[in-house]
């Protein structure tokens, strides 16, 4: 495959982000956000803000009635919330929106709005015994996978040693280059032209249309340079619904670009897992079973965090021989930023916890952590390898991969260096870590959409539903097509992130695009 520079305009800093898209006459939106983690809005006084020059309107849930916000149908029905909800469940939750002629006018107006909130008990960590955050729910459970009725996998007579470890995989913020944003323009024929930050314009269009009760054929959704997705941009957000509703109501284009504070308190975060793990060993230090009890922090809403526990369970045993597994997980609400997908979406959490447990176990029994892993890794002749987490690996050679990694990193050199520094009490020490994992990719709907057009001048245009935001799609797609057609890949043009160019398709995520 001939090499090429991926998206040179982005590298040169001249590819437009959403804030750069020209739209004369567009109003600017900004959101009044809750300063408390949990409370009920008593009153909003916007009189001083409305008197400011350049301020057009201020709306809350009462003056802008919108349908409840809901993304995932296989989570409890009672977890719906309003896009501008007077019952706030995390710091930064949007409670009102300001429209103005400039971002500066909107920011000044937000500072003048007086909001009275009746404070309610915050729930900073997942707690099933806390009062429910959603009145229609009996508790704060979002989703549960329950193997607790299975017998103890470490209860067999062959188990001689049991090692237990509590492991925390902390919250992570996505922090893309450009924060979330949307530009919604109602057109004269009744269609909506929407630019927004997204990992998949077709799925975003479908979600927004459903939330607003619109026909998908009456919406065009595009993405500019989104500055990274990471999983946090796979779904619609309440602010998008508010901006589109106001653009339709006023018949004017409206733009909202999130600032960094809003991003860190509003964009779906990742991880947030607490695992209690137990592993059993026989007299030969072979694993006899694995017992996992996990609690996932959902944050303030039923985002995708609960559904990601399926991925965590699938990866529980990895490529090791584990003859027995008991795995239970609970995804529980808290008064914190919502938790969604992030970089591997459940798999890194499982791999991190398992490998930490194996390190602790190796220390407990006094065995080199690499040799302990090697002793329990499946061998090439054991594949296809069905695992108790529900994955069947078709073929692999974990031992060869481990040996190659150790050789490439120069393990013997670094262990000698490590020992030398310890012997002379060097204040700069070296730590050597090891982990084995298999990354599942290409999951989800196993189809996507693309078309190739050969123009009269011999150039080629690829229209692809899977949008790029840093993954190198242009290099990959151009190389594939150029190899097949026997042309210079620099004569290939990519059009993506536009529902008018490709009406159906999936989002970019799960390391799936190249395979599909």
């Amino acid at each position: 495959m001939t090499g090429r520079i991926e998206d040179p305009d982005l590298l040169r800093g001249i590819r437009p982000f959403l804030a750069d898209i020209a739209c004369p006459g567009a109003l600017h939106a900004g959101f009044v956000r809750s300063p408390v983690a949990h409370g009920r809005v008593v009153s909003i006084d916007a009189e001083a803000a409305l008197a400011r020059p350049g301020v057009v309107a201020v709306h809350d849930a009462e003056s802008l009635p919108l349908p409840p916000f809901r993304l995932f149908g296989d989570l409890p029905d009672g977890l719906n919330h309003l896009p501008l909800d007077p019952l706030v469940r995390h710091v930064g939750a949007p409670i009102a929106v300001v429209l103005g002629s400039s971002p500066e006018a909107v920011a000044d107006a937000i500072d003048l709005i007086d909001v009275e909130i009746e404070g309610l008990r915050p729930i900073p960590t997942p707690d099933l015994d806390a009062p429910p955050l959603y009145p229609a729910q009996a508790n704060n459970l979002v989703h549960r996978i329950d193997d607790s009725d299975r017998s103890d996998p470490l209860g067999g007579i062959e188990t001689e040693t049991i090692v237990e470890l509590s492991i925390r995989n902390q919250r992570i913020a996505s922090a893309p280059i450009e924060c979330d944003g949307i530009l919604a323009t109602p057109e004269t024929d009744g269609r909506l032209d929407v630019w927004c930050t997204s990992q998949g314009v077709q799925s975003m269009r479908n979600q927004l249309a459903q939330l607003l009760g619109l026909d998908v054929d009456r919406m065009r959704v595009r993405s500019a340079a989104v500055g990274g997705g990471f999983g946090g941009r796979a779904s619609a957000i309440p602010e998008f619904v508010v901006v589109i509703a106001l653009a339709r109501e006023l018949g004017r284009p409206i733009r909202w670009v999130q600032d960094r504070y809003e991003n860190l308190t509003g964009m779906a975060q990742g991880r947030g897992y607490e695992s209690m793990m137990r592993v059993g060993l026989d007299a030969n230090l072979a694993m006899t079973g694995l017992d996992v009890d996990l609690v996932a922090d959902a944050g303030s809403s039923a985002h995708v965090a609960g559904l990601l526990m399926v991925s965590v369970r699938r990866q529980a045993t990895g490529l090791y021989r584990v003859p027995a597994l008991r795995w239970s997980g609970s995804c529980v609400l808290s008064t914190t930023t919502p938790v969604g997908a992030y970089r591997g979406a459940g798999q890194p959490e499982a791999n991190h916890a398992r490998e930490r447990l194996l390190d602790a176990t190796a220390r407990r029994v006094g065995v080199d952590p690499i040799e302990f892993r090697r002793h329990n890794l499946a061998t090439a002749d054991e594949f296809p390898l069905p695992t108790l987490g529900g994955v069947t690996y078709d073929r692999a050679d974990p031992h060869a991969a481990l040996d190659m990694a150790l050789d490439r990193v120069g393990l013997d050199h670094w262990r000698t260096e490590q020992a030398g520094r310890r012997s002379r009490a060097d204040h700069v020490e070296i730590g050597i870590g090891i982990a084995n994992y298999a990354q599942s990719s290409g999951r989800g709907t196993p189809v996507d959409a693309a078309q190739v057009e050969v123009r009269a001048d011999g150039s080629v245009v690829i229209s692809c539903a899977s949008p790029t935001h840093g993954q190198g799609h242009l290099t990959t797609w151009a190389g594939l097509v150029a190899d097949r057609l026997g042309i210079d890949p620099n004569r290939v043009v990519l059009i993506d992130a536009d529902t008018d160019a490709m009406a159906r398709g999936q989002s970019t995520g799960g390391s799936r695009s190249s395979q599909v």
Side-chain angles (χ1 to χ4, degrees):
M1 183 182 295
T2 305
R4 63 182 283 122
I5 296 175
E6 165 64 19
D7 201 344
D9 287 350
L10 184 62
L11 294 176
R12 296 182 186 122
I14 60 176
R15 182 176 174 185
F17 287 87
L18 187 136
D20 302 319
I21 298 171
C23 188
L27 292 175
H28 296 267
F31 289 86
V32 180
R33 299 184 179 276
S34 171
V36 302
H38 194 200
R40 190 181 308 277
V41 176
V42 177
S43 64
I44 300 176
D45 184 355
E47 185 176 351
L50 288 168
R52 292 281 299 181
V55 176
V56 174
V58 178
H59 288 286
D60 59 10
E62 185 175 348
S63 61
L64 185 67
L66 292 169
F69 188 85
R70 179 179 180 78
L71 288 178
F72 303 102
D74 43 2
L75 294 175
D77 291 335
L79 296 177
N80 300 344
H81 61 91
L82 297 176
L84 298 174
D85 204 320
L87 181 58
V88 296
R89 299 176 179 89
H90 70 90
V91 171
I95 54 179
V97 60
V98 178
L99 297 179
S101 58
S102 69
E104 294 78 13
V106 170
D108 290 344
I110 289 174
D111 287 342
L112 294 173
I113 294 176
D114 185 20
V115 180
E116 181 184 353
I117 299 178
E118 174 194 358
L120 300 173
R121 171 189 167 184
I123 307 171
T125 58
D127 184 357
L128 282 174
D129 295 324
L133 290 180
Y134 291 80
Q137 293 296 110
N139 54 40
N140 290 315
L141 183 67
V142 173
H143 188 59
R144 177 153 176 83
I145 299 175
D146 194 355
D147 288 352
S148 59
D149 58 343
R150 295 186 181 180
S151 60
D152 186 350
L154 314 184
I157 58 173
E158 72 276 11
T159 297
E160 290 204 357
T161 304
I162 296 176
V163 178
E164 182 177 290
L165 188 66
S166 177
I167 302 166
R168 180 172 181 263
N169 196 293
Q170 79 278 5
R171 287 279 197 104
I172 293 177
S174 294
I177 294 173
E178 183 182 48
C179 301
D180 279 338
I182 185 170
L183 172 61
T185 303
E187 298 182 335
T188 54
D189 63 355
R191 290 187 83 211
L192 271 167
D193 187 3
V194 175
W195 288 85
C196 66
T197 48
S198 169
Q199 291 181 226
V201 291
Q202 292 82 12
S203 57
M204 181 64 70
R205 175 203 58 193
N206 297 345
Q207 289 178 2
L208 290 171
Q210 182 179 14
L211 289 165
L212 288 157
L214 304 177
D215 187 340
V216 295
D217 294 331
R218 307 300 293 167
M219 292 182 68
R220 179 187 189 183
V221 176
R222 290 178 280 178
S223 289
V226 302
F230 316 119
R233 285 178 158 157
S235 304
I237 59 176
E239 290 88 344
F240 287 2
V241 174
V242 171
V243 168
I244 292 175
L246 287 171
R248 295 181 69 221
E249 181 178 304
L250 299 177
R252 294 186 61 178
I254 298 176
R255 186 196 316 261
W256 168 67
V257 179
Q258 187 183 57
D259 66 30
R260 185 59 65 186
Y261 170 81
E262 292 177 300
N263 170 259
L264 294 174
T265 59
M267 187 176 185
Q269 297 180 352
R271 315 295 190 234
Y273 282 66
E274 301 271 356
S275 302
M276 178 59 71
M277 304 185 71
R278 300 163 63 234
V279 64
L281 304 178
D282 66 15
N284 296 316
L285 302 185
M287 286 189 277
T288 60
L290 184 64
D291 189 16
V292 181
D293 189 6
L294 176 144
V295 176
D297 190 349
S300 63
S301 64
H303 206 284
V304 73
L307 305 180
L308 294 180
M309 291 196 303
V310 174
S311 294
V312 185
R313 189 181 191 279
R314 283 167 56 90
Q315 291 286 338
T317 62
L319 296 172
Y320 298 95
R321 299 186 203 91
V322 181
L325 171 68
R326 182 172 65 183
W327 197 100
S328 297
S330 299
C331 187
V332 185
L333 295 165
S334 64
T335 53
T336 61
T337 303
V339 177
Y342 178 84
R343 299 290 294 174
Q347 298 182 87
E349 294 90 321
N351 293 321
H352 166 261
R354 182 190 63 249
E355 297 298 317
R356 284 283 311 280
L357 177 64
L358 295 182
D359 270 346
T361 304
R363 287 194 298 270
R364 168 79 175 273
V365 298
V367 176
D368 178 278
I370 295 174
E371 294 311 311
F372 177 70
R373 286 172 168 83
R374 196 191 305 275
H375 183 63
N376 284 280
L377 272 175
T379 57
D381 59 6
E382 294 178 74
F383 288 79
L385 180 70
T387 72
L388 296 176
V391 181
T392 296
Y393 296 106
D394 54 357
R395 57 194 175 96
D397 191 342
H399 288 260
L402 176 58
D403 290 339
M404 182 182 294
L406 297 176
D407 178 64
R408 293 286 179 87
V409 80
L411 177 66
D412 292 340
H413 163 76
W414 289 112
R415 282 198 161 166
T416 300
E417 177 69 15
Q418 182 185 57
R421 293 191 185 200
R422 288 176 175 174
S423 67
R424 62 179 180 267
D426 195 318
H427 70 283
V428 179
E429 294 202 26
I430 291 175
I432 299 173
I434 183 71
N436 295 287
Y437 75 97
Q439 176 80 11
S440 294
S441 60
R443 292 185 63 206
T445 306
V447 295
D448 218 315
Q451 63 186 30
V452 177
E453 174 190 354
V454 181
R455 291 179 171 173
D457 64 358
S459 64
V460 173
V461 177
I462 304 171
S463 298
C464 185
S466 180
T468 183
H469 32 82
Q471 298 92 333
H473 285 185
L474 178 57
T475 299
T476 305
W477 306 162
L480 289 169
V481 171
D483 283 355
R484 182 60 61 90
L485 299 182
I487 63 171
D488 183 345
N490 289 293
R491 304 210 67 195
V492 178
V493 176
L494 173 63
I495 299 175
D496 65 359
D498 184 350
T499 56
D500 273 10
M502 187 60 59
R504 65 186 181 90
Q506 306 296 318
S507 65
T508 301
S511 304
R512 65 185 297 276
S513 295
S514 295
Q515 296 176 57
V516 172

